[in-house]
Each structure stands twice: as C-alpha cells, then as structure tokens.
Amino acid sequence: MLDYLALAFVVAVKVFKKTTPNGKVTVYLGKRDFIDHIDYCDPVDGVVVVDTEYLKGRKVYSQLVTTYRFGREEDEIMGVKFTKEMVIGQEQVVPMVNAKMELTPVQEKLLKKLGPNAFPFTFTFPEMSPSSVTLQPSDEDQGKPMGVEYCVRTYVADNEDDKSHKRSSVTLAIKKLQHAPASRGRRLPSSLVSKGFTFSNGKISLEVTLDKEIYYHGEKVAANIIVSNNSRKSVRNIRCMVVQHVEITMINSQFSRHVASLESREGCPVTPGASLSKTFYLVPLARSNKDIRGVALDGHLKEDDVNLASSTLVSEGKCPAEAIGIVVSYSVRVKLNCGTLGGELVTDVPFKLLHPAEGSTERQRFNAMKKMQSIERHRYENSMYANEEEDNIVFEDFARLRMNEPE
C-alpha cells in the first residue's frame, strides 16, 4: 500500500517559473528551499528561457542576491539606510560562458523539455552565509520586515554592471534553510539550580530535564520538572516557557520572545519539606504567535508556509559567535514563584529546533503533513524524480511574494 502511495506522490514534478513583464525571459527553478547541510549547501540550479530575437546582441545575466535588513524602513531618515544588499553570485547565462557546466537532474529535464532557447545556471552559497530569517512585524509597522532574504535576479543588459530595467528583469525569492543532523544524539539537556533565602534556613531546588536535545518543528517539547523544597518558603505556582533568543549581528542587538508558555498550580503550593515531580508539554508554533512582533520565522514566502526560525548551526570547529546575519537559539525556561518575599527561582535549558534531516523517517512524516495541509504546494527534491519521465513536469507561476521587483 505504501508503494502505491509513493508512486502517487512522484507522478509529476513541480517546477516554479516566473516571466519578465515583457514576456521575453522566463526563469525556472525546481525548488525554492535550499538546504544548508553544514558541510555543504544545495546549489541554486535553474534554467532561463529567452527569446533570442529580442536580445539583438545583448546578454542575459543572473545573480544570487542577499538582502540584510536590520532596521525598520520607516526609520530611514537623512540618508541613513538600515539595509545591505550583496550580490554573492553572478553569471552570464546567455550566451553561455561555461559550455561544459555539470547539470543537475532538474536542469537536464528542463533543457529537454524547453528546447534550444533554454540555458542553465548554477550558484553556490558562500561558506557561513546566513540562513533566511524574517522578523515578524507588528500591524503598525510599514515597509519590508527585518531579516535576511535571498533572491535570484535575472536581467537583460549589454554588460553585467548595467542597471537592469523592470520590464526585462525578473526576481524570484528563495530561502536558505538548515536541517537537523541525521542523528539526534542521546544527550538529555538538563539544569539543576537552587535558591536560598536571607532570613530563612534551607533551599528550594529545581531540576529540569528535556527528553531530547533536538526537536523538529511541530513536535512537543517535554520538560520534566522536579521541585524539592527544603526551606521554610512555599512554591505558589510554576510557569514553563519556550523562549526564542534572537541576535541581530549587524547592530549587536539581542532580544527574546516567548513562543509557547504554560502556567500551572497543580500540586501547588509546594510546602516546606515537600517535593513535586511534573512534566510540561509545550508546542512552539508560528501560527500561535502571529500577533507577537519580533518573532523570528524561517523566511516568509507565504502565510501558510511558515515555521519558527530554526536554530542556527555552525560547522565543527567554528565558534557560534562567528555566525552572521540573524542568529536564533531556543531554551526552555522554568520559573518558580516563591511568594512576594521569596521572589522567583529561574533556570534555562537550551535545545535546538530544526527541520528533520533529508531522507529520515521524520522528514517523510513532516513532508506528508505539509502535503495534507496544502496539497497544491507539493515539494519535490531531486532524488525523488531523477528517474521519472521528462514530460511529467508541472509548472507553477512564481507569485510576487514578499519581495518587490527592482526598479
């Protein structure tokens, strides 16, 4: 039965396309999400179809562009700009410069399908390039949201340094994401803290242990809490939260947002000499935090295609402080309310929130859930259709998403 289901999902290959306003140049991409596997990153591979008679000796160039917006657009006054745009890859597509370019399976299929006016291009992301992250704006904010964005820009010009014209250029927004390693590991993050009181003997101890170090988007975060009260104070209530920590490296700004929380009085008050063992289950989701300004998201191409930003990973031997762009991390924070005079006992336990690794059972389950939620937006990786027939291609127009066209 599963084999039949698998066949049903690979009958057609979805390819995204977008055409210039004058209809003379069309760009095709096999996917919009490109995965950073830490030791290597998926190449940005596509095909450009051009009306050669329209060129009249001109050339077609393609660029991989990143835009880093680290301030609100409405705050840009007196010529001060809070955005940096960098071209991190550029290639002359027509006429081809590298005729011996190694083609990916997507490009081979598209070239056979689209004919002699189709030309391939390939870009690679630089090492340590930041992941796509968008900071959720509030209802009062205007202009583009802060974050790191990527796009593929294709235009017609005599020289690569010439300014592109809107009628003969096209921009496709893409995302660079990170996935979890193949193995989650066996480490169970934990924290043990205690609090003493100035005019009272004894301490209150708090131990928090998570059942995993790496969680996937949509999974429950289980926090096992043990409270031991060896003081004369009482614990009134317990609050457990998932905290998203965000660092904007360009301006050295740091802030946190609570993306899931739960408060409980069950088993409270924990009186002197008593103890309490309890498990909290929290599910951090983007759709539960739509009204919170500053929550970091995994890019923001569509309303129904958004997750909380994944934890930022760095390659082995690299320091996390060397990461650039917008750095995201997560922790479970537990607070014990010890009364008006007793104050609070707080501890944080860090963990990682990521997409499942490619090829894993969890990844297949994750993909199946997304297909059920939005069946018209299937995602297909190259390995799924490497041996399929060339004609089994479905083209979907690239909408004008959240990235404006260049003037």
Side-chain angles (χ1 to χ4, degrees):
M1 182 65 181
L2 292 177
D3 292 338
Y4 288 114
L5 289 175
L7 287 173
F9 281 127
V10 296
V11 169
V13 173
K14 179 161 287 188
V15 173
F16 301 95
K17 71 172 184 176
K18 194 171 183 180
T19 305
T20 56
N22 62 12
K24 302 299 183 181
V25 180
T26 303
V27 181
Y28 296 83
L29 287 178
K31 56 185 177 181
R32 294 173 299 182
D33 294 354
F34 299 89
I35 310 307
D36 182 356
H37 303 273
I38 307 301
D39 52 345
Y40 73 97
C41 188
D42 292 347
V44 181
D45 52 339
V47 169
V48 174
V49 176
V50 61
D51 183 350
T52 53
E53 294 182 358
Y54 164 74
L55 293 180
K56 297 179 181 179
R58 293 178 296 175
K59 302 172 183 177
V60 178
Y61 297 95
S62 199
Q63 298 175 333
L64 178 60
V65 181
T66 180
T67 304
Y68 185 6
R69 179 168 291 280
F70 50 91
R72 298 194 308 170
E73 195 170 2
E74 54 264 37
D75 293 337
E76 295 179 346
I77 57 175
M78 303 293 291
V80 177
K81 294 290 185 181
F82 296 132
T83 181
K84 297 288 184 183
E85 181 179 289
M86 293 168 281
V87 177
I88 58 179
Q90 183 156 323
E91 184 177 320
Q92 179 181 309
V93 183
V94 184
M96 286 188 64
V97 177
N98 182 13
K100 297 182 179 180
M101 177 190 300
E102 185 176 348
L103 301 178
T104 63
V106 180
Q107 291 173 325
E108 291 177 353
K109 288 181 175 293
L110 287 174
L111 291 176
K112 292 179 182 179
K113 177 80 174 178
L114 300 172
N117 289 343
F119 302 87
F121 66 86
T122 302
F123 295 114
T124 56
F125 288 96
E127 185 181 3
M128 294 290 289
S129 56
S131 297
S132 298
V133 176
T134 297
L135 300 186
Q136 186 166 260
S138 66
D139 295 336
E140 293 78 19
D141 289 340
Q142 300 176 357
K144 294 181 180 179
M146 292 188 291
V148 177
E149 299 173 335
Y150 288 93
C151 70
V152 175
R153 181 184 299 159
T154 303
Y155 61 96
V156 177
D158 293 317
N159 300 294
E160 63 181 8
D161 296 329
D162 291 349
K163 185 177 180 180
S164 59
H165 297 281
K166 188 173 183 179
R167 65 179 181 273
S168 60
S169 63
V170 60
T171 301
L172 291 76
I174 61 174
K175 293 194 292 186
K176 178 178 180 287
L177 305 175
Q178 288 186 322
H179 284 184
S183 174
R184 298 203 208 194
R186 298 182 178 180
R187 177 176 172 270
L188 303 181
S190 62
S191 174
L192 176 61
V193 293
S194 59
K195 178 181 177 67
F197 303 94
T198 304
F199 301 106
S200 177
N201 295 328
K203 295 181 179 181
I204 295 178
S205 299
L206 170 64
E207 182 178 1
V208 181
T209 305
L210 305 183
D211 61 337
K212 299 171 189 172
E213 182 182 12
I214 297 177
Y215 292 91
Y216 300 141
H217 291 286
E219 280 190 334
K220 289 182 179 180
V221 178
N224 300 304
I225 299 172
I226 300 177
V227 179
S228 300
N229 189 356
N230 296 313
S231 70
R232 296 182 181 179
K233 303 290 183 179
S234 295
V235 177
R236 304 289 182 84
N237 62 0
I238 303 173
R239 189 179 181 194
C240 186
M241 299 160 285
V242 174
V243 184
Q244 181 190 72
H245 308 275
V246 179
E247 178 184 359
I248 305 177
T249 58
M250 181 68 76
I251 55 176
N252 197 26
S253 173
Q254 300 177 355
F255 59 89
S256 299
R257 294 290 183 268
H258 297 163
V259 293
S261 63
L262 182 63
E263 186 171 346
S264 175
R265 295 179 180 271
E266 184 179 351
C268 296
V270 182
T271 55
S275 61
L276 174 66
S277 179
K278 188 176 180 63
T279 301
F280 284 80
Y281 294 96
L282 300 169
V283 184
L285 295 171
R287 61 175 178 266
S288 303
N289 296 275
K290 289 185 177 181
D291 300 328
I292 302 179
R293 180 178 182 270
V295 171
L297 307 173
D298 259 343
H300 203 169
L301 295 186
K302 294 185 179 180
E303 292 294 338
D304 62 344
D305 190 23
V306 179
N307 291 299
L308 293 173
S310 298
S311 299
T312 302
L313 303 179
V314 297
S315 56
E316 189 174 354
K318 298 285 186 179
C319 176
E322 297 178 7
I324 59 177
I326 296 179
V327 180
V328 179
S329 59
Y330 290 89
S331 67
V332 170
R333 178 174 297 169
V334 178
K335 288 186 178 182
L336 303 185
N337 180 2
C338 303
T340 304
L341 299 179
E344 292 182 333
L345 174 57
V346 184
T347 187
D348 280 63
V349 183
F351 68 93
K352 295 180 177 66
L353 183 64
L354 295 161
H355 293 278
E358 290 296 320
S360 63
T361 304
E362 291 84 357
R363 183 65 190 178
Q364 295 173 6
R365 189 180 300 116
F366 181 81
N367 287 342
M369 290 176 61
K370 297 209 69 170
K371 288 172 184 175
M372 291 174 62
Q373 294 172 356
S374 182
I375 194 67
E376 73 278 6
R377 294 185 173 93
H378 294 329
R379 302 256 177 114
Y380 295 95
E381 300 298 331
N382 292 352
S383 59
M384 295 178 64
Y385 48 77
N387 298 319
E388 292 297 309
E389 295 296 329
E390 289 77 14
D391 292 336
N392 294 339
I393 298 178
V394 175
F395 297 108
E396 178 177 306
D397 288 333
F398 229 99
R400 296 181 186 274
L401 304 170
R402 291 184 173 268
M403 186 166 289
N404 295 338
E405 298 292 342
E407 296 296 334

